[in-house]
Every structure is written in C-alpha cells, then in structure tokens.
Amino acid sequence: MIWKIAKIGNCEAVDFAATELKRYLTKIDATNDYILMCCKKYDAARKDVLWVGCSPELPLPEVKDPKYDDAISICVKKNAGYITGANSRSVLIAAYRFLRELGCAFIRPGADGEVIPSYELKNVDVCVFEAASYRHRAVCIEGADSYDNVANMIDWLPKVGMNGYFNQFDVPYHFYKLWYQSEFNPIYEGESFTREDAIGIRDQSIREISRRGMLYHATGHGWTCEPFGIVGGGWDTKPQEISDKARSCLALLNGKREFFGGVPLNTNLCYSSDYVKDTIAKAVAEYCKDIPEVNYLHVWLADGSNNHCECENCLPHRPSDLYIDLLNRIDEELTKENIDVKVVFLIYVDLLWEPVRAKLNNPDRFTLMFAPITRSYSQTLSDAKELRDDELSPFVKNKLTFPENISENIAYLKKWQKSFKGDSFDFDYHYMWDHYNDLGYYESSKLLFRDMAELDRVGINGMVSCQVQRCFLPTSLGMLSMAEALWNKNADFDTMADKYFLDAFGADGGKVQDYLAELSRLNDLPYMRAEKKVINAENAESFAKMIALVDSFLPEISAHLDDDKLCHAQKLSWKYLTYHAERCKLLASSLELTAKGEIEKAKEKLKEANEYARSLRQEAQNVFDDRGFVNTMNWKIGNLWQKAEAELAENKK
C-alpha cells in the first residue's frame, strides 16, 4: 500500500510534522511505501493523499486567537484524508495525536520512552475534532540538566499535547552548570562548562523549539542585574565589583545600597528612578531584536522578598505600582521599535499585593503570571474559599508574610484580576519540590490533574510548570496528568491513569498502579509537608508498612525485567521501579524513625538514601534529578526534625 503524505505550503513545523508522521508510520508498518509530497495549497479534489498542514478549507474548532490557541482536526480513512490544526504547532500536535490513536504511546521523554505497536495499517479510521481547553501548556527549565534532558523534553511536549518551553535567564547557564560541573555529587568528577557553552546550548534549544512551531518563553530573572553590568545568572553569592552608577540603582535598605543577602539576583532596584526604568526598557528591546524567536518575554523583578527600596521616592509606593510604571515604560520602548512580543509580568511574593495607583496603558501587550510559590499542595486551586478583605494580611512594606493556604493566594489573584482582564497563566511548582514528598507519585498526580482541570474556575488560562526536567521516577503519571487536563479539562483521571500504566508497563500495569497508589496513600502527604504532628505513632506504622509493601512487590518487578512480551521502553519502566524501590525503602525508614522521635537514627538513614540517590546519576539520569532529590529531602525532612525536636522538648515539660 502507498501512503502519499502531502505537506501543505512551505513551513518548517509542518515539514517536521509530515516527516515525523512518515517516520512513525514506517515503524508501525514497514511493508507500506510512505511518500512525502510538497503542495502549495490543499486540493479537495485529491482524495488519494493524506493532507498535512493548515488550510482555510479544512474544518477546525473555533479558537480565540489562532496564533496562540491550539485546535486540531483529523479525518483519516485508510491511507487518505487530512491532519490539520489552527497553526503549524497544532498540526504537529495533531500528527502525534493521530499516532496515539493508532496505538503509539510516548510514556516519557527520549527514544527509550516510546511504545510503538507493530501491525498492518490497512483499515485506518481516525476522526478527532478538538480545541485545547487552555492556551498555556508549557514547561520551564529548572534542576540540574544536560542538553539531552532539555532536548528530549522539548521533543516530548507536543507528543502529549503541550505547546511551549521556557528558558529562564538570558542564558540558562545555572541549570546546565549544576549537571556538567557536578559540584553536588562527589561520586562523579565534573567537567568544564562555561557561559559560552550555555549560550550554544540555549541557541540549540531555541532551534528545536522553533522547528516545532512551539511558543517560546524567555528570561524572567536577570533584568535587575544584566542591564547594569551585574552578573545575575544564578543565585551565587560570589563577590563582584560594580560601578558606582550601578550601585546607585540598587534598592536602599537600612540606609545602604548593597546586594540583598549577598545575592545580586535577589536584589531589587530603585524602581522610581527614570534611569533604572529606561535602562531596563532598552535592554528588553535589544534582547527582542537579538532573539526574535521569543513569543513571551518574562520581565520579573528580583527573586527576593521584603527587600524593596526605601528611598524617599520609592517608599510611598507599593512594589506593584512601581512595577506597573516599569512595564508601561517597557511597552513604550517596544512599541517605538515596532516589536510584537507578549510581556509576562508576575504576581509573586511582595507583588501579590495589587497596585493601588498604576494601571497598564496597553493591556493587550501583557500576560499575567500567577506564581503562588508559598502555597500548600494539600489543596487544589479550586478549593479556595471567598475571604473578606479583613481576613487578608495587610500590605506593610518589607514586613510581609506570605500565604500558604490556597484561599488567601487566590484572594490576592482576584484583586489583581479586577484591574487586569487580559491573558494569564499559573506558574506553579508541583514538580520543583513537592513531587519528592510523594513516593508513589499517585496522590500528587491526582491533585495536579485537578489543579489543571479547574484553572478556568479561578480565571487562569493555562500553566507554565516551573520544574526539574528529570521527574519520571517512578512514573510519568503526574506529567501526563498535567498534559491531559490542560488539553481537555473534562478528561477523566482514572481513565487516563489506567491507560498510562497499561502503556508503560504492559499487561500487568494494573498491578503497578495498585502498588504505587497504595504507597502514595501510606505516604500521607500532609505529614510530609509538615502540616501534622511529627511524633506520630500512626505515621510511623504507615512508613513501616511502606517498606513491607515494597519488599512484597520486588518479586513482581524482578519477574518483568526480562519479559519478552514487553518492548524496550516497558522493560525500562520496570527497571526504574527497582531503583525507586531501594530509594523508597531508605527514605521510608528515615521517616519511620522521624515519626518515632529517633532523630539521630533518622539522619543516618537519610544519609544512606542520599548516597543511593547520588549513585543513580548515570543509570537513572533521564528520569531522576538526584541533586533535586537530595536538596529537597534534606530541606523537607530537616523541617520535620526541627518540628519533632520542638515536640519532644514540649513533652518533657
């Protein structure tokens, strides 16, 4: 049989979609001939080809703005029909969706995460007509990363219906340095890695994003440093000399203009200064000229809190008012230079408190980013209850306390929404830290799914996930929960989860699902988040049960490591469970001892867990960020120990 795949027009992302379609169809059924054809436009009279691309003649769900919003339409019978989308990016998403309808599964990033069936492509009949529930469906770089980790993530995102990627900083040197220099893992010798290396990697990643037609988000942190000759590519405290002019731009705190806590990136500026606003605005415009691929340029203030300028010109104003003044100046500069880019502004720490004086002059230029970094993940965003103003913490400059409960976080968002009616997204941290709390990855995945499905209830149009890139141990359930609910807010979690475990682990995937769901239940996430009493016999018993459960399931894991009925990706899924099992037992043992109040013994067990995690640097590199795990568990369980010691001291009174 001959498949004639006709590319419509001349577009790199459509070319890529057609090439990918041919590549995977050949894997499914190599007995057919797959011929790529180039056509200037769609021809309805040609009934013998499979059209791939955009055409006004092809039916599509209506979307608000085809440049930013995704919709797909697929109608393929036998070897002919069409695969189209609202834009070139949507065409690629549609091509992958067609392949998924044929039985392909992309269970994690990378070639070893592909489950491709093998059968005769004869009576193909696939029809899909859908628009994405949310505009923003992207991932932001965090963690310790090799280039392959990021490239694989970019490649994987459209395969599961996501549409964007975010490189933080002008150059994301910090994240690559953590991996290549390996300062965090003494078991392995690091290698030389420079800012120039990072620029090369950044440019490679932009090319991969562009060839897929994906939305590109860029920078964020750094605007308070780089335009003034201050190095601010990470959270380093290394001393650096700056000019007197640059120093005069720093926020005045306690009568001094100096780096806040020694960290330039955490240092705010004197935002009432016209020189500061002009310098940042011109730097933003120059950046957009240098990197025209950017669709969403993030302009954030310093990554610190309670550290805003107290000079006589800044002191009377809220940080959010001065921030709006700066954003208006940036818009003026971009408009003057005829630069069409969306500017992302954030609601974060001190900026949670809405402006009382200033308003954006050109709201269409801007996209609001809600970043509730202090929230608890024991509640979803839609669990928020209405609060009166007198129930909210008042604004007191540089003496703010930030909310953990979801109701207060959403209350501040709603105050911003009264003055800004434009586009917005959630910038959240489910896979930055909190996922390490959940050893089964199941309860946290359900919460993430619900968070995404109900974003529209709080007036938010999607999600950019600030996260480690290697977050697939023990499974990809949470990441697929994010992708599924962002594409279709009416999807069903259980249906999605059932299919995932079958795809990832084969016929016995249901056993893995039950195992991890029980591990997650025993894990007690509010306990892990220090929201309960730490010295707790019930939790000590649960952690002991976790260890027993892992031991009882190990024979099942071993039996599938060489199961010939499984493909390579599925065998690898079972292999990863062996690494997870050992890590789980060590961590659960530390937590059991913590819950019993045996803190010194708990510290020794956590040390063993950390050493084991570091030993996985190569074997589990694609799925597990060992640095992220060690740092987070030292912090999280360290908090539990502090709380436990306070409880023990109180009990002695």
Side-chain angles (χ1 to χ4, degrees):
M1 181 181 292
I2 297 175
W3 287 62
K4 299 176 182 178
I5 302 172
K7 300 180 290 184
I8 302 171
N10 183 21
C11 171
E12 184 179 25
V14 171
D15 288 348
F16 185 74
T19 302
E20 285 287 270
L21 192 61
K22 176 183 177 180
R23 183 166 72 91
Y24 283 105
L25 290 175
T26 303
K27 289 184 177 184
I28 296 171
D29 183 0
T31 65
N32 295 327
D33 289 327
Y34 303 95
I35 301 172
L36 290 180
M37 304 165 52
C38 298
C39 300
K40 290 184 178 180
K41 62 180 183 177
Y42 170 71
D43 183 356
R46 292 289 305 269
K47 305 294 185 182
D48 62 332
V49 301
L50 174 56
W51 295 95
V52 178
C54 300
S55 172
E57 298 178 56
L58 294 172
L60 271 172
E62 186 177 351
V63 295
K64 185 175 181 179
D65 187 338
K67 180 178 179 180
Y68 299 105
D69 296 314
D70 295 314
I72 63 174
S73 182
I74 304 168
C75 184
V76 181
K77 299 191 182 291
K78 294 188 178 180
N79 60 342
Y82 58 81
I83 295 174
T84 188
N87 48 61
S88 61
R89 171 183 66 254
S90 294
V91 173
L92 179 61
I93 291 171
Y96 288 132
R97 176 62 178 275
F98 174 63
L99 293 167
R100 285 159 54 195
E101 294 291 326
L102 295 182
C104 296
F106 305 101
I107 59 175
R108 60 181 165 265
D112 61 12
E114 297 178 351
V115 179
I116 311 299
S118 178
Y119 64 94
E120 185 179 0
L121 288 170
K122 187 175 182 181
N123 295 313
V124 174
D125 188 351
V126 175
C127 290
V128 178
F129 191 77
E130 294 177 1
S133 293
Y134 299 105
R135 171 177 293 177
H136 301 281
R137 309 182 313 280
V139 163
C140 172
I141 186 173
E142 278 284 355
D145 308 309
S146 72
Y147 173 68
D148 286 343
N149 299 143
V150 170
N152 285 340
M153 179 66 82
I154 291 168
D155 178 69
W156 185 70
L157 290 174
K159 290 177 177 176
V160 295
M162 302 280 274
N163 71 349
Y165 194 81
F166 179 9
N167 271 325
Q168 279 194 84
F169 301 112
D170 173 19
V171 179
Y173 168 72
H174 173 78
F175 311 106
Y176 295 112
K177 176 194 73 169
L178 291 175
W179 168 257
Y180 288 107
Q181 294 185 358
S182 191
E183 295 174 0
F184 62 90
N185 193 331
I187 299 175
Y188 295 90
E189 183 177 351
E191 58 188 271
S192 172
F193 188 79
T194 66
R195 180 179 169 85
E196 287 66 35
D197 294 328
I199 290 172
I201 284 179
R202 179 202 64 186
D203 293 347
Q204 282 181 272
S205 69
I206 292 174
R207 283 194 289 273
E208 293 303 318
I209 292 163
S210 296
R211 75 191 291 226
R212 291 165 173 79
M214 295 168 68
L215 295 169
Y216 180 46
H217 294 246
T219 67
H221 294 307
W223 297 113
T224 56
C225 298
E226 305 292 344
F228 303 90
I230 300 169
V231 177
W235 291 266
D236 298 325
T237 57
K238 185 185 298 183
Q240 59 176 291
E241 293 294 325
I242 62 172
S243 68
D244 291 341
K245 184 64 174 176
R247 184 171 297 280
S248 72
C249 297
L250 304 182
L252 181 69
L253 280 171
N254 301 316
K256 297 180 181 179
R257 296 188 186 274
E258 57 189 12
F259 293 136
F260 184 70
V263 181
L265 197 72
N266 289 353
T267 304
N268 275 302
L269 303 179
C270 185
Y271 298 119
S272 64
S273 163
D274 288 337
Y275 174 77
V276 167
K277 288 181 283 191
D278 289 345
T279 301
I280 294 175
K282 292 181 186 304
V284 166
E286 286 304 312
Y287 180 92
C288 292
K289 292 176 188 176
D290 291 342
I291 305 182
E293 295 89 348
V294 63
N295 303 105
Y296 289 93
L297 186 68
H298 293 235
V299 178
W300 304 348
L301 302 187
D303 195 27
S305 58
N306 287 319
N307 62 343
H308 281 267
C309 187
E310 296 172 344
C311 78
E312 61 179 0
N313 293 321
C314 289
L315 190 59
H317 302 282
R318 285 190 178 188
S320 53
D321 280 302
L322 294 172
Y323 188 32
I324 296 296
D325 293 340
L326 170 62
L327 294 170
N328 282 330
R329 178 66 189 89
I330 290 169
D331 173 55
E332 291 172 6
E333 190 70 22
L334 293 173
T335 301
K336 183 180 76 173
E337 298 289 344
N338 197 30
I339 295 171
D340 180 22
V341 67
K342 295 290 186 182
V343 173
V344 178
F345 70 100
L346 80 168
I347 303 175
Y348 175 74
V349 292
D350 304 63
L351 296 171
L352 278 173
W353 284 261
E354 81 286 3
V356 294
R357 167 187 56 79
K359 288 188 177 181
L360 291 168
N361 297 329
N362 179 17
D364 289 343
R365 165 79 69 185
F366 297 96
T367 297
L368 180 154
M369 183 182 105
F370 176 52
I373 193 168
T374 57
R375 68 169 284 197
S376 166
Y377 290 97
S378 292
Q379 293 178 304
T380 66
L381 295 172
S382 62
D383 288 329
K385 298 176 181 178
E386 292 285 341
L387 296 179
R388 302 185 309 273
D389 285 354
D390 62 3
E391 295 179 279
L392 302 178
S393 299
F395 176 79
V396 182
K397 195 164 193 173
N398 292 340
K399 295 181 180 178
L400 299 169
T401 56
F402 304 108
E404 293 183 11
N405 72 79
I406 208 66
S407 297
E408 195 170 351
N409 273 287
I410 296 300
Y412 290 118
L413 169 64
K414 288 183 176 180
K415 285 181 170 291
W416 269 95
Q417 289 171 333
K418 288 179 181 179
S419 61
F420 180 76
K421 309 293 184 183
D423 190 25
S424 63
F425 59 82
D426 182 27
F427 188 78
D428 231 316
Y429 307 85
H430 302 75
Y431 273 91
M432 177 77 92
W433 306 291
D434 194 70
H435 63 295
Y436 295 119
N437 287 330
D438 185 3
L439 291 177
Y441 260 36
Y442 207 86
E443 291 299 319
S444 59
S445 297
K446 290 171 71 174
L447 180 138
L448 174 53
F449 186 92
R450 187 177 162 201
D451 250 358
M452 300 299 96
E454 298 179 351
L455 283 170
D456 59 337
R457 295 193 182 186
V458 294
I460 293 288
N461 195 13
M463 163 81 151
V464 176
S465 178
C466 187
Q467 63 169 81
V468 298
Q469 307 298 282
R470 299 177 287 145
C471 56
F472 301 91
L473 187 72
T475 69
S476 307
L477 181 63
M479 286 299 294
L480 288 169
S481 294
M482 181 196 302
E484 181 78 5
L486 285 172
W487 179 265
N488 178 12
K489 65 183 181 181
N490 297 313
D492 179 71
F493 174 82
D494 291 332
T495 301
M496 180 275 303
D498 291 348
K499 183 179 187 307
Y500 164 71
F501 280 100
L502 187 64
D503 288 339
F505 296 93
D508 286 333
K511 294 180 180 179
V512 180
Q513 185 175 6
D514 291 343
Y515 162 65
L516 293 175
E518 180 63 7
L519 270 182
S520 195
R521 185 190 68 80
L522 291 169
N523 206 171
D524 190 2
L525 291 176
Y527 181 91
M528 296 293 294
R529 297 173 185 133
E531 295 169 354
K532 297 175 67 173
K533 187 177 179 181
V534 177
I535 309 299
N536 190 316
E538 183 179 346
N539 283 106
E541 183 180 356
S542 290
F543 290 126
K545 288 180 178 179
M546 288 177 70
I547 298 169
L549 177 60
V550 172
D551 282 335
S552 69
F553 198 71
L554 280 171
E556 189 73 43
I557 297 173
S558 297
H560 287 83
L561 295 178
D562 296 310
D563 188 342
D564 291 337
K565 296 188 293 295
L566 302 176
C567 70
H568 173 69
Q570 291 168 332
K571 288 180 182 179
L572 197 54
S573 295
W574 286 95
K575 183 179 180 181
Y576 286 146
L577 286 183
T578 64
Y579 303 146
H580 169 260
E582 183 62 23
R583 188 196 71 180
C584 182
K585 287 169 62 177
L586 290 167
L587 196 60
S589 180
S590 178
L591 290 163
E592 179 190 2
L593 292 164
T594 298
K596 289 178 176 179
E598 300 177 28
I599 306 303
E600 292 306 314
K601 291 181 180 179
K603 290 179 180 179
E604 287 301 314
K605 276 296 175 184
L606 181 59
K607 184 178 178 181
E608 288 183 44
N610 289 343
E611 289 173 353
Y612 181 72
R614 291 188 179 106
S615 75
L616 298 176
R617 187 180 197 269
Q618 298 296 345
E619 285 292 314
Q621 200 276 343
N622 292 330
V623 294
F624 178 56
D625 191 319
D626 50 312
R627 175 191 176 272
F629 172 82
V630 170
N631 283 6
T632 302
M633 287 296 96
N634 284 345
W635 161 40
K636 295 280 188 180
I637 299 182
N639 285 343
L640 293 179
W641 292 336
Q642 287 185 358
K643 192 174 179 182
E645 286 167 350
E647 290 174 9
L648 289 169
E650 183 65 27
N651 291 339
K652 290 180 180 179
K653 291 182 180 179

